[in-house]
Amino acid sequence: MTAVPSPLRLSPAECTCFRVRSAARRVTQIYSRHLAPTGLRISQFSLLGHVIARGPLSISELSDRLATDRTTLTRNLRPLLASGVIERAAAGDKRRHELVATLAGRALFKRALPMWAAAEQEVRDAMGTKLTADLHVALDRSMEKLAPL
Amino acid sequence: MTAVPSPLRLSPAECTCFRVRSAARRVTQIYSRHLAPTGLRISQFSLLGHVIARGPLSISELSDRLATDRTTLTRNLRPLLASGVIERAAAGDKRRHELVATLAGRALFKRALPMWAAAEQEVRDAMGTKLTADLHVALDRSMEKLAPL
DNA sequence: CGAATTTAGGTGCATATACACATTGAGACT
DNA sequence: AGTCTCAATGTGTATATGCACCTAAATTCG
């Protein structure tokens, strides 16, 4: 006999991908609404936050941390480079571009922080402390398990 | 004293949005890889599946079910209409467009189903039964709590 | 040293996402 | 009927996403 009670027939209604993507859309809208006055999208906020927190980073390093495709990052950086919140510094290796936040970038992030916090709080208020914690744990563990090959 | 141990200072590292979006990207890649031979993206697979399962639907109804913006759906439908897997039937109300799956659409979905199942199984194998169940529960509850105003 | 390989990054293309705004049909009210 | 309002949908614009492919710099190896 088999050890695992195999889920012989999976139905598309049980799609993990659909669930995660739906949730991402919903949640994104809440944060977008709060961050709108700053001119930052939530992805830009995350990106900028990582660059500020983790110091100079190459695009590849950043794409690893953010679980985002490198080429996606290249394009997501464009508005931020254009508006001068992030700069590219030359590295020893001429292929690399070290990304650093400018003073304006840090100031913008500081201004945006309360609005991000309000969004985060709205989500937590709606979901409750327990569900928020459970969701975070489940998502964090999932990301570990689904780490790229 | 306050009843709730208030999280006085939320740090961007605890961003729910970032977690959900990262997970969505990772998970999406796995399904995309499996579905590639079918020519269907995972979002198209979900969309087509819903149209097949829920019979004729208007765009607005579908956008509610999929938690997707209506205008996003309009554009996501384009490739599916162009390739003839979905059709628009006239409704009594001339504003409405009833969406129905064509025979070709149903056949395509049937062919794609095993590949979707393989993707779903890959995710479940990586995450384990418990974590998969926990994640689904957390996501389903979150979607309830975060239902649009 | 010089060629092959690997590594960092960008581009072309196609889809995904959603807000603001425009359009058109249906229903209600006078 | 005429008009006013609402409901269903599409468009313009901008960002997000990632695969296939390309370029150039660094490294490895004969």
Side-chain angles (χ1 to χ4, degrees), chain A residues 21 25 29 59-60 70-71 74-75 88 95 97:
Chain A
R21 286 174 65 91
R25 285 192 294 267
Q29 282 181 34
I59 291 188
S60 298
R70 180 185 53 75
T71 67
T74 293
R75 289 178 235 251
R88 316 163 101 169
R95 293 168 306 178
H97 299 168

Side-chain angles (χ1 to χ4, degrees), chain A:
Chain A
M1 41 184 149
T2 56
V4 178
S6 69
L8 270 185
R9 301 233 173 278
L10 284 168
S11 143
E14 301 165 280
C15 187
T16 301
C17 192
F18 175 68
R19 281 176 166 76
V20 180
R21 286 174 65 91
S22 296
R25 285 192 294 267
R26 277 273 166 84
V27 170
T28 295
Q29 282 181 34
I30 296 174
Y31 288 76
S32 294
R33 190 155 27 83
H34 284 276
L35 285 176
T38 69
L40 282 175
R41 306 298 190 84
I42 178 60
S43 38
Q44 298 175 337
F45 176 84
S46 296
L47 206 167
L48 179 55
H50 270 76
V51 170
I52 290 175
R54 315 283 186 176
L57 282 168
S58 73
I59 291 188
S60 298
E61 286 164 353
L62 192 54
S63 81
D64 284 345
R65 290 192 187 278
L66 299 174
T68 299
D69 187 87
R70 180 185 53 75
T71 67
T72 298
L73 214 53
T74 293
R75 289 178 235 251
N76 291 358
L77 277 168
R78 279 218 274 248
L80 298 177
L81 293 170
S83 62
V85 301
I86 288 182
E87 276 180 346
R88 316 163 101 169
D93 188 329
K94 282 177 189 171
R95 293 168 306 178
R96 283 174 73 101
H97 299 168
E98 300 283 4
L99 302 172
V100 287
T102 63
L103 279 183
R106 288 167 194 274
L108 174 58
F109 189 77
K110 197 173 269 184
R111 282 200 306 280
L113 203 43
M115 302 184 194
W116 166 80
E120 182 69 31
Q121 199 59 56
E122 179 181 333
V123 167
R124 287 170 186 236
D125 285 348
M127 294 182 21
T129 304
K130 173 79 165 58
L131 179 53
T132 302
D134 287 352
L135 180 62
H136 280 215
V137 167
L139 287 172
D140 289 349
R141 288 192 186 150
S142 299
M143 287 300 279
E144 286 172 30
K145 301 294 189 181
L146 298 177
L149 336 178

Side-chain angles (χ1 to χ4, degrees), chain B residues 3-123:
Chain B
V4 177
S6 69
L8 270 186
R9 301 232 172 280
L10 284 169
S11 144
E14 301 166 279
C15 186
T16 301
C17 193
F18 176 68
R19 281 176 166 77
V20 181
R21 287 173 65 92
S22 296
R25 286 192 293 267
R26 276 272 165 84
V27 170
T28 296
Q29 282 182 33
I30 296 174
Y31 288 77
S32 295
R33 192 154 26 82
H34 283 275
L35 285 176
T38 69
L40 282 175
R41 304 299 191 83
I42 179 60
S43 38
Q44 299 176 335
F45 176 83
S46 297
L47 205 166
L48 179 56
H50 269 77
V51 170
I52 290 176
R54 316 282 186 177
L57 283 167
S58 74
I59 290 189
S60 299
E61 286 163 353
L62 193 54
S63 81
D64 285 345
R65 290 192 187 280
L66 298 174
T68 299
D69 187 88
R70 181 186 53 75
T71 67
T72 298
L73 214 53
T74 293
R75 290 177 234 251
N76 292 358
L77 277 169
R78 278 219 274 250
L80 298 176
L81 293 170
S83 61
V85 300
I86 289 181
E87 275 180 348
R88 317 163 99 169
D93 188 329
K94 282 179 188 169
R95 293 169 305 179
R96 282 174 74 100
H97 298 168
E98 299 284 3
L99 301 171
V100 288
T102 63
L103 280 182
R106 288 167 194 275
L108 174 58
F109 189 76
K110 197 173 270 184
R111 282 201 305 280
L113 202 44
M115 301 184 195
W116 166 81
E120 182 67 33
Q121 199 59 57
E122 178 180 333
V123 167

